[in-house]
Amino acid sequence: MDAIHVLGGNALFGETKIQGSKNAVLPVMAAALLIKDVCVIENCPHISDVYHMQQLLGSTGCKVVRSGETLTIDARNISEDTMAGDHVTGMRSSITLLGAMLGRTGEVTMAYPGGCVIGERPIDLHLNALRRMGVAIYEEEGRFTARAKTLEGAVIRLPVSSVGATENIILAAVTAKGVTVIQNAAMEPEITTLCEFLREAGAVIEGIGGSVLMIQGGHTLHGIRFRVPADRIVAGTYLMSVLGTGGHIFLEDAPVAQMRSMIRTAEKIGAEIHVTRDGLNIIAKDYKNPIPYIKTEIYPGFPTDMQSVLMAVLSTCPGESVIEETIFEDRFRIASQLRKMGARVELKGKRQAVITGVDSLLGCEVAAEELRGGAALVAAGSMALGETVVKNCHFIERGYEDICRDYQNLGVNIFWQR
Ligand code: EPZ
């Protein structure tokens, strides 16, 4: 039994510090495997995905030690080339270990990665790109082996700017022979973080932050100390929450530069937002506007990971809003749960949701089916009148260090039931 109880309906007041970013720390941990040295990674969030990645690195022979928010990864001695199956299938980003293991040992066998049920989530782009770099892939039931005598630099144009595929190519490219060019590379901030980590460790990467990356392989990498930036999606969750409840909150360390599209959307709904040196100050205004049309997009557009919590807020904005999901084909699972709370959400196929605002949501029992949808249900609970019980909250722990602690800091009556 892992449920969260929220007594909602009150305005949010207070401040909370934003944890380190899940989607930034995971590829950085994978990258540490490429470095025959010791790396110290600061601001690592206490979330289950990081714990799984620690186990996976451990299964390769890396020594990983946590002290508070700091992970020390000693990858001087690598022994195994088979990834522990349970941890791989439990987490999508285990796939980034593919590029890292190939770069380090030239061979890896792993199970097909798991992760949240938000659509098909194939890995064809990863595998095709690595094939272009000289990797042979042998697929068996439920798992595959990838092997490369030598990794060769290549020009790779991604048909879709996939975050994970871009990360894998970068990881393979830093140890490859020659130059790799990635065209239509993903530009998400987590890619920039990965490139900065590798560059500080001695890799040569040009075009960081843009859609064309050039990686000169073969430079010796050395251990570094590196700080993971704060999590833009966690910060965005609380930003959207206060719009739904009203109030005034401060999000310490919120990575403002990465949150422009969310801030613009929040201002349209009705928020006064001040960027300070240390974070984000948000005052929710008395009125709320619907959003006639918004679509999720690749960065710097509005992130798909914020779509569920936006839906929760729009459920209480008078008027009609339309959300189009362009990244994943099955990411409206939260709609049926919000309906239980009184929301009026109509799905038009798998890609469009029409939301007609109601006066208020009503607390009831709902169930998380995946990470971001689960967090959005907790946010909806903070907006709803009465008690909301969100079941299956282990999904939320994949990405939120302690969502109850954060909401308590913002004045919400909320607790875990374990
Ligand atoms: C990353 O997933 C994030 N995960 C996701 O966050 C995020 O929603 C997503 O990027 C988009 O921003 C991590 O960083 C661990 P993609 P990823 O490859 O890399 C298609 C969260 O909640 N595609 O950019 O898996 C795919 O189906 C998670 O924190 C292929 O067709 O996303 C999707 O439609 C959820 N073939 C699109 O590309 C492939 O081989 C973008 O996916 C790979 C992807």
Side-chain angles (χ1 to χ4, degrees), residues 243-244 288 311-318 355 357-361 383:
L243 296 181
K288 284 185 278 184
M311 185 184 280
V313 178
L314 293 178
S315 297
T316 65
C317 295
I355 302 130
V358 294
D359 285 345
S360 50
L361 296 174
M383 300 168 205

Side-chain angles (χ1 to χ4, degrees), residues 81-208:
D81 54 18
T82 303
M83 294 289 162
D86 288 356
H87 296 294
V88 172
T89 45
M91 183 178 69
R92 170 75 183 177
S93 51
S94 54
I95 189 69
T96 47
L97 284 169
L98 172 59
M101 278 302 274
L102 282 168
R104 180 66 193 266
T105 67
E107 177 167 341
V108 60
T109 297
M110 62 197 295
Y112 284 99
C116 277
V117 236
I118 54 176
E120 282 268 317
R121 308 196 80 182
I123 55 166
D124 55 319
L125 302 174
H126 304 239
L127 301 184
N128 290 342
L130 292 170
R131 284 190 183 103
R132 305 265 329 257
M133 301 179 75
V135 178
I137 297 179
Y138 309 94
E139 303 190 44
E140 298 163 52
E141 188 140 331
R143 59 190 225 151
F144 63 94
T145 296
R147 195 175 293 140
K149 265 208 182 109
T150 338
L151 282 168
E152 307 273 356
V155 177
I156 296 163
R157 181 169 182 83
L158 286 172
V160 175
S161 77
S162 153
V163 173
T166 304
E167 288 166 353
N168 252 327
I169 303 168
I170 295 169
L171 290 166
V174 290
T175 59
K177 218 168 90 188
V179 173
T180 298
V181 178
I182 313 175
Q183 297 167 343
N184 197 29
M187 296 192 291
E188 269 62 10
E190 295 74 31
I191 302 284
T192 300
T193 301
L194 173 63
C195 290
E196 280 167 353
F197 172 81
L198 286 165
R199 197 159 68 170
E200 282 178 38
V204 176
I205 305 179
E206 284 171 36
I208 298 178

Side-chain angles (χ1 to χ4, degrees), residues 9-10 37 75 95 125 145 180 222 248 251 260 267 292 318 344 352 366 386 406 417:
N10 297 316
D37 204 347
I95 189 69
L125 302 174
T145 296
T180 298
H222 52 81
H248 178 179
L251 302 178
R260 303 251 178 253
E267 284 171 338
R344 287 178 60 197
Q352 208 178 73
V366 286
D406 290 347
Q417 182 196 351

Side-chain angles (χ1 to χ4, degrees), residues 186-353:
M187 296 192 291
E188 269 62 10
E190 295 74 31
I191 302 284
T192 300
T193 301
L194 173 63
C195 290
E196 280 167 353
F197 172 81
L198 286 165
R199 197 159 68 170
E200 282 178 38
V204 176
I205 305 179
E206 284 171 36
I208 298 178
S211 65
V212 179
L213 291 171
M214 199 169 81
I215 303 125
Q216 229 179 70
H219 292 266
T220 306
L221 304 177
H222 52 81
I224 55 166
R225 179 176 277 271
F226 186 82
R227 189 171 175 82
V228 174
D231 195 306
R232 63 191 171 111
I233 305 300
V234 171
T237 305
Y238 307 136
L239 162 63
M240 289 295 155
S241 289
V242 71
L243 296 181
T245 59
H248 178 179
I249 62 170
F250 180 67
L251 302 178
E252 189 185 340
D253 278 357
V256 178
Q258 305 176 2
M259 295 176 67
R260 303 251 178 253
S261 64
M262 307 177 203
I263 291 175
R264 268 197 308 276
T265 306
E267 284 171 338
K268 279 187 201 157
I269 294 173
E272 192 184 312
I273 297 181
H274 301 279
V275 173
T276 72
R277 218 159 39 102
D278 315 332
L280 211 52
N281 215 334
I282 306 141
I283 303 162
K285 295 193 184 147
D286 289 342
Y287 58 87
K288 284 185 278 184
N289 300 310
I291 300 281
Y293 175 77
I294 186 168
K295 62 177 172 181
T296 59
E297 289 177 284
I298 55 173
Y299 190 81
F302 190 83
T304 173
D305 291 347
M306 288 295 301
Q307 184 254 104
S308 304
V309 69
L310 176 66
M311 185 184 280
V313 178
L314 293 178
S315 297
T316 65
C317 295
E320 192 174 278
S321 302
V322 174
I323 305 180
E324 189 175 334
E325 171 58 60
T326 74
I327 309 293
F328 292 109
E329 72 284 0
D330 192 13
R331 216 174 190 186
F332 286 139
R333 285 167 176 252
I334 189 191
S336 60
Q337 301 299 307
L338 285 177
R339 276 192 216 111
K340 283 196 195 170
M341 301 176 76
R344 287 178 60 197
V345 183
E346 190 193 341
L347 298 187
K348 302 230 158 130
K350 286 198 160 176
R351 298 283 190 170
Q352 208 178 73

Side-chain angles (χ1 to χ4, degrees), residues 381-399:
S382 73
M383 300 168 205
L385 300 177
E387 185 178 22
T388 298
V389 180
V390 184
K391 296 198 309 191
N392 295 343
C393 285
H394 59 277
F395 287 114
I396 301 174
E397 294 184 292
R398 292 193 40 222

